Amino acid sequence: MSKLGIAIVGAGMIGTVHRRAALLAGAEVRGVAASSPQRASEVARSWNVPRAYRSIEEVVTDPQVQVVHVCTPNHLHRPMAEAALQAGKHVICEKPLATRLEDAQALAALAATTGRVATVPFVYRYHPVIREARARIAQGELGPLHLIHGSYLQDWLLDPARNNWRVDPVLGGASRVFADIGSHWCDLVEWTTGERFAEVSAAFNTVISERGAVSGQSFSAPAAPAPMQAVASEDVAAAMFRTDAGTLASLTVSQVSAGRHNRLWFEIDGAKASVAFNQEEAERLWIGLPDQRQAFFVRGPGAGSAEQRRLSVLPAGHAQGYDHCFEAFVADTYRAIEGERPHGLPSFEDGLRSARIVDHVITSARTRAWTPIV
């Protein structure tokens, strides 16, 4: 693989994750753009990269950049990804692909027209045991599916004094918790089962009506005292889906569940067996069998499906996690740029699919009615 030149737009927590994954995949970080030229200069010095870009225009006109990583707040995704694609760059754009379905449609269409590689980091697909679950379902080991159920729970917004740009619908979009983390669950379950959600009945609730003013704190930083502001986005959501095969699926999402840092969990129950996955304990896949029997498939390079083995870069007993998923996703994106066709690489079409689901979930929550996902 030739060395790709990349630029990272957005220097927050997720920007640093992109940078690390890019370096491990053999790319060269040519520069960084941030919330201000001063911030970009500070980060460029810290990262020891050649350029601090003052604007997206400077990024996309840099001839040494072949790939643009868009790691900004959600409302900037479309204009920045669009500028990069129109300039002939490949793009990795954080999810959600856009804050409106129409914008996601425009980006997916533009990516298809330009022929550039354009991906969205639905990186939980890259847990090795997820690949194992998908392979077993595809091979019929679970039989016809009876039920899908799960949750995605966090607690980082439990404190009313804590705030973030994601809470503001202008910056984050009309949905917060569902678009932010429910979208991950939906993408993962659809991709793992091979079934697509066909209709939804959803409900949103804002349980913390006021929060401290946004002060730029990170996920882990303590909240500073600040004036309180009204909250217009949901803290929790629940959704019931029916798939195109007729399977019922239920999902609960929350960013205010104490003690749950990043618990994406699902169980898929079939006529012959069940499987369950917990992202906080991602080394093993639970397998339920008839007659009250249970088993575990443990991640490792020596057993299981070909994709599970490919992604198990460490021996069993040496824990892999989120960072390995992200690294594998970025490396697969770069392989696609080199002409390969990595299995399961999430594209802008997948980002559009997610935006379509979120849009119809919002509609269902507002109308309190079952809503087709079309």
Side-chain angles (χ1 to χ4, degrees):
M1 183 184 298
S2 59
K3 186 178 285 292
L4 291 168
I6 73 157
I8 296 177
V9 185
M13 180 275 290
I14 200 65
T16 63
V17 172
H18 279 250
R19 170 181 174 260
R20 183 176 188 275
L23 292 173
L24 289 171
E28 182 177 0
V29 182
R30 297 299 310 166
V32 60
S35 55
S36 69
Q38 179 182 356
R39 172 66 176 154
S41 295
E42 293 170 355
V43 175
R45 286 194 296 271
S46 173
W47 289 1
N48 192 30
V49 298
R51 292 195 62 176
Y53 302 107
R54 293 172 295 179
S55 65
I56 186 64
E57 290 75 23
E58 285 193 1
V59 172
V60 302
T61 55
D62 185 345
Q64 294 186 303
V65 169
Q66 290 83 52
V67 190
V68 177
H69 291 239
V70 178
C71 310
T72 62
N74 300 344
H75 71 296
L76 297 173
H77 288 180
R78 177 180 177 175
M80 292 190 169
E82 194 169 63
L85 287 169
Q86 289 173 341
K89 311 297 185 183
H90 305 282
V91 178
I92 298 177
C93 181
E94 269 299 324
K95 41 98 346 229
L97 184 56
T99 57
R100 300 189 311 147
L101 177 57
E102 295 82 359
D103 292 332
Q105 289 171 326
L107 283 176
L110 179 59
T113 299
T114 62
R116 299 292 87 185
V117 172
T119 62
V120 179
F122 285 118
V123 297
Y124 296 123
R125 294 184 181 194
Y126 280 85
H127 279 296
V129 298
I130 289 292
R131 302 289 171 126
E132 183 67 20
R134 176 179 162 87
R136 289 176 181 236
I137 291 170
Q139 291 163 7
E141 292 187 20
L142 270 64
L145 300 188
H146 287 172
L147 180 67
I148 303 165
H149 49 113
S151 59
Y152 196 160
L153 308 177
Q154 298 176 335
D155 65 358
W156 69 280
L157 283 172
L158 180 62
D159 183 354
R162 187 177 293 279
N163 209 336
N164 184 272
W165 61 261
R166 291 170 178 82
V167 177
D168 184 350
V170 174
L171 305 180
S175 168
R176 186 220 317 164
V177 70
F178 200 93
D180 189 24
I181 59 176
S183 59
H184 269 298
W185 191 94
C186 290
D187 173 81
L188 190 62
V189 165
E190 282 198 333
W191 188 75
T192 302
T193 63
E195 297 187 9
R196 289 165 74 87
F197 299 133
E199 57 180 336
V200 62
S201 176
F204 289 174
N205 201 11
T206 303
V207 297
I208 298 176
S209 60
E210 291 186 326
R211 293 188 177 276
V214 176
S215 57
Q217 70 267 18
S218 66
F219 286 100
S220 58
M228 303 302 283
Q229 296 179 339
V231 174
S233 58
E234 82 275 11
D235 294 305
V236 298
M240 178 77 76
F241 297 95
R242 191 183 302 274
T243 74
D244 53 4
T247 309
L248 285 180
S250 64
L251 167 63
T252 303
V253 290
S254 168
Q255 290 175 329
V256 292
S257 294
R260 297 301 189 188
H261 300 312
N262 198 47
R263 188 180 188 270
L264 187 164
W265 175 87
F266 67 71
E267 182 172 319
I268 301 166
D269 301 330
K272 297 191 291 186
S274 302
V275 293
F277 169 76
N278 178 0
Q279 199 276 149
E280 291 187 340
E281 298 176 359
E283 287 289 277
R284 29 183 225 171
L285 180 73
W286 178 85
I287 302 169
L289 300 164
D291 302 322
Q292 300 182 338
R293 292 178 292 138
Q294 301 180 42
F296 288 97
F297 175 85
V298 178
R299 181 207 60 76
S305 67
E307 277 293 295
Q308 192 284 141
R309 295 195 304 272
R310 176 177 81 91
L311 295 173
S312 285
V313 296
L314 297 176
H318 299 76
Q320 290 186 207
Y322 172 82
D323 53 346
H324 293 93
C325 292
F326 216 103
E327 291 156 15
F329 158 74
V330 169
D332 269 6
T333 298
Y334 295 169
R335 290 188 182 99
I337 292 169
E338 295 293 328
E340 298 184 30
R341 298 176 64 89
H343 179 68
L345 179 64
S347 69
F348 272 26
E349 283 297 326
D350 297 300
L352 171 57
R353 172 63 183 170
S354 177
R356 181 168 285 116
I357 292 173
V358 170
D359 183 75
H360 289 83
V361 166
I362 293 170
T363 298
S364 177
R366 287 175 175 168
T367 61
R368 301 188 177 187
W370 277 94
T371 302
I373 300 173
V374 294

